[in-house]
Amino acid sequence: MATFIALIPAIPLLGFLVLALFGPKLTRKTIGYIGAGSVGIVALLTLIAGIGLLKSLPQVKSYSVIIWEWINAGNLKADISFSLDALSLVFCFVITFVGFLIHLFSVEFMAKDEGFSRFFAYMNLFVGSMLILVLADNILLLYLGWEGVGLCSYLLIGFWYKVPVNGYAARKAFIITRIGDTAMIIGIFVLFLSFGTVNINDLMQQASEKWVAGSSIAVLTAALLLGGALGKSAQLPLQTWLPDAMAGPSPVSALIHAATMVTAGVYLIARTHVLFSLAPIVQTAIAIIGALTLLIAGFSALAQHDLKRILAYSTISQIGYMFLALGVGAWSAAVFHFMIHAFFKALLFLAAGVVILVLNEEHDIFKMGGLRKKMPVVYLTFLIGAASLSALPLITAGFYSKDAILWYSISSETGSTLLWIAGIIGAFLTALYSFRMIFITFFGEVKTQPAFLPGKLMTIPLIILAVLSVIGGFVELPESIGNIHLFSNLIDNTLPAIVVKEARHSEILFQSLSAIIVLTGIYLAYLAYLKKPALSESFNHSKLNKFFERGWGFDKLYDVLFVKPVIWLSEIDKDDIFDGLNIGISRLALLANRFLSITQNGNLRWYLMSFTIGIALILTYLICK
Amino acid sequence: MLTVPVEIQILFAGILFLLGLIGLLVRRNMIFMLMSIEIMFNSAGLVFIIASTHWKQPDGQVMFIFILSVTAVEVAIALALLLQVYHHFKTLDADSVNKLKDHN
Amino acid sequence: MNLFFYIAAAIAIISTILAISGRNAIHSLLFLILSLLAVSVIFYLLDAPFIAALEVIIYAGAIMVLFIFVTMMLNIGIERRTEKRWLNPRMWIVPSMLAAVLLTDFILAIKHVPASPFADQIILPKQVGISLFSTYLLAVEIAAILLMAGVIGAYHLGSQKKKVTHRFLGKN
């Protein structure tokens, strides 16, 4: 059982190798089979491993296997070793299962693209790296997967590399996440220096024994690792890359920028939760960052008119919710929301991809309309996804996961009313912008005709994901409704149980409050965008709208603060100073050559004279000694 | 018997050598340069003979004989080369045979 | 005896100076022969009669004659004007200064020559001969080979080969 966990990351990597080496020579069908098939096999393997693990819980908490020794240098010992416990199992399940559906979708979506094999090679590499990330037993291997997904993100965002804008977007993503990665590797250095090991379990154990809660080194390390998480998960202040990353194909946005890579930060914080418990300041910071991000992104989503950008800001906002949950110590709620969000966000991105494709690459929602009657299946699945996103009460999975977070944001030990208020406003905004999106895109008159209808390979994953977006929540029902705790029981094997404040507020009250707010938001969207569009017209052209649309001006801020000075500095160093030093040395040698070659003028008597002078000098020197 | 001090004898040889050296540095005609070299050879041999007389050993004279033979060979070869240079450059100017100059 | 030494030394030095500062090559060579003869006299005075004879026979008689032959063959008497141009008095300053420096060094160096520890006795040619063919036999053989090499080398270096171009490449 334990050994074949190693197959889980290995098979997609093998698929990448085959596709990278032989891709251009294979037929589309073979590439599709290899690309999607490898992820499918891994989904199956995860299922088997998962069932095995579930059976042996709670006695056996995890399966571990060491494949081979990677680094053995002095104090540093790192192996290629994987371990599957409850947390990694959930992540693996989402990555492989949702990933498989997305790969199936891509076989038809990218069918006419000339980079077909390249696409699947990169996607397989991504899945392999992400699986390494979540299955890694030591933090260096985790960082390997971390870097791998960053690379694949760059490659896939800039997939259509012939268009320069895509290249810029890819570079922006890579550079901004790089800032986070640097913080993270410094954090890893600090951890290794303090404890002499890189195995995660050992690190957590030693940290809890040796470090005092609130000590500066714990705060430093936690803050550094948080920096890494912020970069990858596109939270404040490193969130500017995600909207631009929508330049990549829609399956990429679905897989990487909705379901998996951007949740790597959540995984990291959950995995190293001991450190964050030891640094309460940092944990509070996580909650505050999450709350702020979800609000800022929520407002920004309201003002976008590119369909995918709305979804991008929505992703940032939803991950803000996950960070909020992590910040108040609601570990299982965060992971639960991650899973449900993966379902409905992937669904939304895939459906948006279908819409954009059939409307001939039209991204502007104000140029769409009336697609309800033209593409019923897509409309229905999109509606279910948006409903789940808005946390429509009782019937969508999103309701249960988001509601759990809202509940814990106020009732957890470190929760506060302010955080709950931020969450509630965010929920209102979410409902508002999701249904704005639905009403403008699918209702009203048809502004652009769809060119064709999507085929089976694109529709079936949509349907499956839609079903999951509804029933996925039923594994974790709150006490007041069904009191099923399948999910949190699973997670509590690895992560600590959520500690709730003594004075319990009434759970039903808060649930009804959130339900009312969501319904209000949907109604407002209906009013402002469908029934009486005039209401929203003035807002559409206001300055506030423009401010929201530009993502609250963060891009401009970073441009002024960082980009312009760097460009100015590199202008100064245009004739590379250090290169100049090297050239200077060689010029000096050439100059010396020119001077000294005057003495080689071929004149015999000159040479004789130099002999004589030399003899005179040497003799004089010797005699005078 | 000669009672001139040894220092004076060697000094005389030294003066002859230096005259040869001056001639070598000053003259431009290659025949004269070779001639000056001969002067220097001769003065070196003179020192050997002085030493031989000083130490009352025949080794100095033996050395002089060898120097003589070497000089003879050297002159022969040098003059042969001189002939070649003259036929090639059509002049005996030492400054004109500067083809090994570093062109920079 | 000492007087002869000084006279011979003076003649040698004067004739050497005339040799190196002359404009006519033949004249300079003849002055050089004179200088060599003076040195030969000094050799004789230094109890080396055999060497004195050798100096005249080989040095003045063979080597200098070789020089004169080559000079005459090259017919450079015509270049008296060029010699005049090349030999302006300014040229003598720096070499003379250098020579003066070296002379002072030389004088300082030879101050410490020890006095002769042996009694007066002439070195006979017989002694030289015996030494030559017993102690220095190997050197004699090598000198012989050297002379041989010199002969062959001079022959080859002195010959002028006609430039032969292939008949298809045209005449030079």
Side-chain angles (χ1 to χ4, degrees):
Chain A
M1 172 58 66
T3 328
F4 92 98
I5 294 174
L7 284 175
I8 296 182
I11 291 180
L13 290 176
L14 187 65
F16 158 71
L17 262 179
V18 170
L19 287 173
L21 290 173
F22 307 116
K25 300 195 192 98
L26 302 168
T27 63
R28 298 251 153 155
K29 213 163 169 191
T30 326
I31 297 172
Y33 274 126
I34 296 178
S38 61
V39 185
I41 294 177
V42 177
L44 207 61
L45 285 177
T46 315
L47 202 61
I48 300 176
I51 293 177
L53 184 68
L54 285 170
K55 274 206 210 133
S56 35
L57 284 173
Q59 297 88 352
V60 178
K61 292 249 188 258
S62 67
Y63 292 133
S64 306
V65 57
I66 298 180
I67 307 299
W68 72 78
E69 190 178 84
W70 179 23
I71 303 175
N72 187 352
N75 210 7
L76 177 60
K77 273 197 207 333
D79 302 323
I80 307 286
S81 60
F82 300 117
S83 95
L84 180 73
D85 62 1
L87 178 64
S88 2
L89 178 63
V90 172
F91 271 81
C92 279
F93 167 65
V94 170
I95 297 167
T96 54
F97 201 67
V98 176
F100 175 59
L101 292 172
I102 295 178
H103 275 72
L104 272 184
F105 180 89
S106 318
V107 172
E108 191 181 326
F109 188 82
M110 302 289 291
K112 297 212 183 60
D113 199 291
E114 53 168 343
F116 195 68
S117 66
R118 186 164 58 101
F119 181 80
F120 277 99
Y122 290 160
M123 290 287 267
N124 271 11
L125 180 62
F126 170 80
V127 173
S129 306
M130 190 73 202
L131 286 170
I132 290 182
L133 198 161
V134 297
L135 285 174
D137 202 10
N138 60 59
I139 205 163
L140 269 180
L141 191 59
L142 192 152
Y143 192 69
L144 179 86
W146 192 274
E147 291 291 313
V149 300
L151 170 71
C152 293
S153 169
Y154 167 80
L155 289 172
L156 285 165
I157 294 175
F159 182 72
W160 292 312
Y161 56 87
K162 294 193 176 134
V163 180
V165 184
N166 300 346
Y168 294 146
R171 284 207 291 282
K172 183 173 175 181
F174 193 77
I175 293 174
I176 293 184
T177 49
R178 184 38 103 217
I179 300 174
D181 297 344
T182 313
M184 182 173 164
I185 195 70
I186 297 178
I188 294 179
F189 290 159
V190 173
L191 280 173
F192 176 66
L193 272 177
S194 313
F195 300 124
T197 172
V198 287
N199 186 302
I200 298 183
N201 289 333
D202 291 343
L203 281 174
M204 294 301 115
Q205 195 172 4
Q206 293 198 32
S208 58
E209 285 165 14
K210 294 190 190 153
W211 279 354
V212 178
S215 63
S216 45
I217 190 164
V219 171
L220 174 72
T221 318
L224 286 169
L225 289 180
L226 175 63
L230 291 180
K232 267 292 185 286
S233 296
Q235 299 294 290
L236 233 62
L238 298 171
Q239 88 281 18
T240 46
W241 63 272
L242 193 50
D244 287 343
M246 296 299 115
S250 295
V252 171
S253 312
L255 183 59
I256 300 187
H257 305 125
T260 43
M261 186 182 97
V262 291
T263 52
V266 177
Y267 175 76
L268 178 69
I269 296 180
R271 200 30 106 198
T272 55
H273 63 91
V274 172
L275 285 177
F276 293 95
S277 316
L278 286 171
I281 295 185
V282 182
Q283 202 167 7
T284 321
I286 298 180
I288 297 177
I289 289 177
L292 283 175
T293 312
L294 72 92
L295 283 176
I296 291 179
F299 280 114
S300 306
L302 204 49
Q304 303 296 319
H305 41 80
D306 181 330
L307 182 60
K308 282 177 76 173
R309 277 180 89 98
I310 299 178
L311 293 175
Y313 277 107
S314 168
T315 308
I316 300 178
S317 181
Q318 294 303 305
I319 300 180
Y321 271 103
M322 294 181 219
F323 268 61
L324 175 59
L326 290 172
V328 296
W331 310 104
S332 59
V335 181
F336 186 46
H337 193 59
F338 149 73
M339 187 173 81
I340 305 297
H341 171 261
F343 294 148
F344 63 68
K345 198 41 77 60
L347 167 63
L348 284 170
F349 267 110
L350 291 182
V354 174
V355 169
I356 292 174
L357 188 69
V358 304
L359 290 185
N360 212 12
E361 300 297 325
E362 178 60 63
H363 284 243
D364 192 336
I365 55 174
F366 289 106
K367 297 211 177 73
M368 305 178 190
L371 294 172
R372 180 165 52 115
K373 300 259 170 52
K374 298 277 176 182
M375 307 160 56
V377 180
V378 176
Y379 164 65
L380 262 175
T381 51
F382 202 98
L383 184 64
I384 295 177
S388 202
L389 172 59
S390 323
L392 201 62
L394 292 178
I395 52 170
T396 56
F399 170 70
Y400 294 109
S401 64
K402 190 179 288 186
D403 195 68
I405 295 181
L406 286 175
W407 166 241
Y408 287 122
S409 69
I410 193 167
S411 68
S412 153
E413 204 175 26
T414 44
S416 80
T417 326
L418 269 176
L419 291 172
W420 179 82
I421 291 180
I424 268 287
I425 297 178
F428 176 71
L429 286 172
T430 312
L432 191 58
Y433 68 67
S434 325
F435 277 86
R436 164 182 181 262
M437 184 171 57
I438 295 259
F439 290 136
I440 297 182
T441 316
F442 288 97
F443 285 72
E445 47 177 81
V446 182
K447 297 201 182 70
T448 318
Q449 285 288 347
F452 56 92
L453 279 181
K456 271 214 205 74
L457 274 180
M458 286 208 259
T459 338
I460 293 185
L462 289 180
I463 297 177
I464 298 181
L465 285 172
V467 168
L468 279 173
S469 302
V470 173
I471 64 167
F474 295 143
V475 293
E476 180 74 15
L477 295 176
E479 288 175 6
S480 46
I481 301 183
N483 207 18
I484 300 180
H485 290 288
L486 286 174
F487 194 82
S488 47
N489 283 346
L490 172 64
I491 293 294
D492 287 343
N493 282 303
T494 316
L495 297 173
I498 309 175
V499 184
V500 181
K501 282 200 272 245
E502 275 308 315
R504 300 269 225 98
H505 310 258
S506 161
E507 205 174 339
I508 299 249
L509 174 65
F510 284 92
Q511 283 165 348
S512 357
L513 261 175
S514 55
I516 294 174
I517 297 272
V518 166
L519 290 170
T520 319
I522 299 178
Y523 184 63
L524 186 61
Y526 171 69
L527 269 183
Y529 292 104
L530 193 60
K531 199 137 177 240
K532 293 196 201 145
L535 277 176
S536 58
E537 273 304 307
S538 56
F539 175 67
N540 279 353
H541 300 292
S542 65
K543 276 229 177 91
L544 194 62
N545 190 30
K546 281 224 165 42
F547 178 64
F548 288 155
E549 194 192 337
R550 300 237 173 80
W552 292 50
F554 268 93
D555 273 326
K556 191 118 192 233
L557 181 70
Y558 291 153
D559 192 44
V560 166
L561 272 183
F562 298 115
V563 177
K564 288 212 161 55
V566 170
I567 293 182
W568 175 75
L569 276 174
S570 55
E571 279 287 317
I572 293 181
D573 196 34
K574 211 168 18 169
D575 308 317
D576 196 355
I577 301 179
F578 294 104
D579 200 30
L581 268 172
N582 285 341
I583 294 182
I585 293 177
S586 72
R587 279 218 200 103
L588 199 66
L590 283 172
L591 198 67
N593 178 22
R594 218 170 283 148
F595 275 131
L596 287 174
S597 61
I598 296 177
T599 60
Q600 292 281 91
N601 57 1
N603 194 339
L604 182 62
R605 296 191 302 144
W606 176 277
Y607 294 162
L608 290 167
M609 186 62 83
S610 47
F611 286 176
T612 322
I613 294 176
I615 293 172
L617 286 170
I618 292 174
L619 275 180
T620 323
Y621 170 71
L622 282 176
I623 296 215
C624 292
K625 256 205 345 162
Chain B
M1 281 290 79
L2 218 53
T3 52
V4 176
V6 178
E7 294 85 358
I8 301 289
Q9 294 173 7
I10 296 184
L11 186 64
F12 162 62
I15 292 176
L16 274 183
F17 183 88
L18 288 172
L19 284 175
L21 185 62
I22 293 176
L24 184 59
L25 293 175
V26 169
R27 305 298 313 232
R28 224 159 128 173
N29 193 332
M30 273 191 265
I31 298 269
F32 285 94
M33 289 169 99
L34 284 171
M35 198 169 62
S36 313
I37 293 174
E38 287 313 305
I39 302 171
M40 291 199 275
F41 265 110
N42 185 41
S43 67
L46 177 56
V47 174
F48 271 103
I49 302 295
I50 296 170
S52 159
T53 317
H54 187 65
W55 297 108
K56 301 290 185 283
Q57 282 171 350
D59 298 318
Q61 302 190 10
V62 166
M63 199 60 215
F64 182 80
I65 295 178
F66 288 135
I67 289 178
L68 212 51
S69 59
V70 168
T71 310
V73 175
E74 175 256 331
V75 165
I77 307 275
L79 286 172
L81 285 172
L82 190 73
L83 281 177
Q84 285 289 2
V85 167
Y86 184 70
H87 278 289
H88 197 276
F89 287 93
K90 306 287 183 277
T91 173
L92 282 173
D93 184 3
D95 288 345
S96 70
V97 290
N98 58 356
K99 289 260 168 115
L100 279 181
K101 156 176 150 159
D102 190 9
H103 297 268
N104 221 1
Chain C
M1 285 293 246
N2 287 1
L3 186 62
F4 290 146
F5 178 86
Y6 289 119
I7 295 173
I11 294 175
I13 291 176
I14 293 171
S15 61
T16 311
I17 293 176
L18 286 170
I20 64 175
S21 62
R23 269 178 264 121
N24 193 334
I26 303 294
H27 291 178
S28 301
L29 285 166
L30 291 173
F31 274 123
L32 189 56
I33 292 179
L34 181 58
S35 160
L36 290 172
L37 289 176
V39 169
S40 168
V41 169
I42 294 177
F43 281 167
Y44 181 76
L45 289 170
L46 283 175
D47 298 330
F50 178 56
I51 300 299
L54 275 182
E55 172 92 352
V56 174
I57 298 171
I58 298 177
Y59 225 118
I63 296 173
M64 283 301 128
V65 168
L66 185 58
F67 258 105
I68 293 174
F69 280 171
V70 171
T71 310
M72 284 180 182
M73 196 162 79
L74 293 179
N75 213 0
I76 59 172
I78 311 169
E79 299 178 17
R80 220 181 290 168
R81 259 172 290 136
T82 37
E83 284 294 341
K84 213 173 179 176
R85 194 168 30 94
W86 288 346
L87 254 190
N88 54 351
R90 261 193 314 142
M91 300 269 284
W92 292 86
I93 301 177
V94 176
S96 313
M97 281 201 310
L98 277 172
V101 168
L102 283 168
L103 191 60
T104 28
D105 288 333
F106 197 64
I107 294 171
L108 288 168
I110 62 177
K111 265 196 184 154
H112 307 287
V113 175
S116 168
F118 299 102
D120 286 330
Q121 118 200 48
I122 298 179
I123 311 228
L124 293 168
K126 186 171 174 185
Q127 259 181 298
V128 176
I130 292 174
S131 166
L132 202 54
F133 281 98
S134 57
T135 322
Y136 297 106
L137 183 59
L138 191 59
V140 170
E141 300 304 323
I142 292 175
I145 295 176
L146 179 63
L147 286 163
M148 178 81 178
V151 168
I152 297 174
Y155 165 71
H156 276 287
L157 286 170
S159 72
Q160 271 116 49
K161 290 190 257 272
K162 266 210 186 133
K163 277 207 199 141
V164 178
T165 46
H166 199 268
R167 57 200 160 123
F168 290 155
L169 291 175
K171 299 229 192 291
N172 234 2

